Amino acid sequence: MYSEWAHPVGGVTVWSRTDGGGEYRVLPDGCMDLIWHDGTLLVAGPDTAAHAAHDRPGAAYAGLRFAPGAGPGLLGVPAREMRDLRVPLADLWPGARARQLAERAGDDPVAVLEQWVSRRTREVGPADPLPRRVAGALAAGRTVAEVAGRTGLGERQLRRRCEAAFGYGPKTLARILRLQRALELARAGTPFADVAAEAGYADQPHLSREVRALAGVPLGELVRK
């Protein structure tokens, strides 16, 4: 049982889940999450490939999902330090601060996390607009060279900024955003050959290779779930 909704703070999605138990697969999406589970808060960094997990029936979660580039400024940690990791918040923040937030979240984790991100956004001030611009351009199919030109950065500068904001360089982010677009199309019933063309793959075999590389399973299996 899963639900999600947009938070008034731009780039933040609130979600909650009660697990039915068994194995599941978390696909890379360029996002970072702050997750409450069993009285503990942890940060899930940006993934470069699917993350396999297993849960007991009835396991409850609540979280904040930060759009690509939005997490580091709010959580206070560069995304590259969190790549492919799940880390207790107490290892990233002063322990007392993390424990206090986890304790407050015990009765109503969704409400407490929503309040925290509103307050934190006011504390840090306006977000850097560059990550959103870069992610939007890459999602639209722009090349890395085109994005660098549009932002006024050299490609090496762009890579450094992307690693801090997203956890990896622009080419990897582009692959991940393209995968998400392909999944959206396929789950809407678009034939796979058309998915490949619309999502920006060279052909259907290219789509198949990329899905396996990033998700670990064929596209058809992802669509059936």
Side-chain angles (χ1 to χ4, degrees):
M1 183 177 175
Y2 176 85
S3 59
E4 67 174 42
W5 56 96
H7 191 276
V9 171
V12 178
T13 299
V14 186
W15 58 269
S16 65
R17 187 181 88 229
T18 301
D19 208 291
E23 296 183 355
Y24 62 96
R25 185 177 300 270
V26 180
L27 301 182
D29 58 7
C31 300
M32 296 175 67
D33 286 69
L34 176 60
I35 303 170
W36 180 91
H37 172 58
D38 282 347
T40 299
L41 287 166
L42 62 87
V43 176
D47 292 322
T48 57
H51 173 77
H54 185 279
D55 257 327
R56 69 181 190 281
Y61 296 82
L64 301 172
R65 178 168 299 116
F66 304 101
L74 294 169
L75 294 169
V77 58
R80 61 174 168 266
E81 296 182 8
M82 295 298 303
R83 184 172 54 229
D84 293 318
L85 296 176
R86 272 69 178 149
V87 178
L89 187 63
D91 291 350
L92 303 174
W93 288 5
R97 182 181 167 204
R99 284 195 302 273
Q100 288 169 2
L101 183 60
E103 288 170 2
R104 291 202 305 271
D107 292 332
D108 191 344
V110 168
V112 170
L113 291 178
E114 287 185 307
Q115 292 164 7
W116 172 81
V117 76
S118 295
R119 184 173 63 253
R120 180 62 176 162
T121 301
R122 292 192 296 270
E123 291 173 353
V124 301
D128 179 359
L130 180 68
R132 180 176 291 187
R133 290 173 57 197
V134 169
L138 293 172
R142 303 290 184 186
T143 66
V144 173
E146 287 174 329
V147 173
R150 284 169 170 258
T151 58
L153 298 173
E155 290 192 30
R156 288 186 179 179
Q157 290 177 303
L158 178 63
R159 180 176 180 82
R160 286 195 296 270
R161 296 286 295 273
C162 284
E163 286 177 346
F166 307 119
Y168 24 65
K171 289 184 180 179
T172 299
L173 178 62
R175 291 177 66 207
I176 288 169
L177 295 177
R178 185 173 58 186
L179 169 69
Q180 290 295 323
R181 174 61 175 156
L183 286 172
E184 179 183 356
L185 291 166
R187 286 169 173 163
T190 305
F192 288 180
D194 294 336
V195 168
E198 292 184 37
Y201 294 92
D203 50 30
Q204 192 170 340
H206 182 208
L207 166 67
S208 298
R209 291 193 302 272
E210 281 287 280
V211 171
R212 279 189 173 274
L214 293 171
V217 294
L219 181 58
E221 183 171 334
L222 294 176
V223 172
R224 287 193 296 272
K225 292 184 177 181

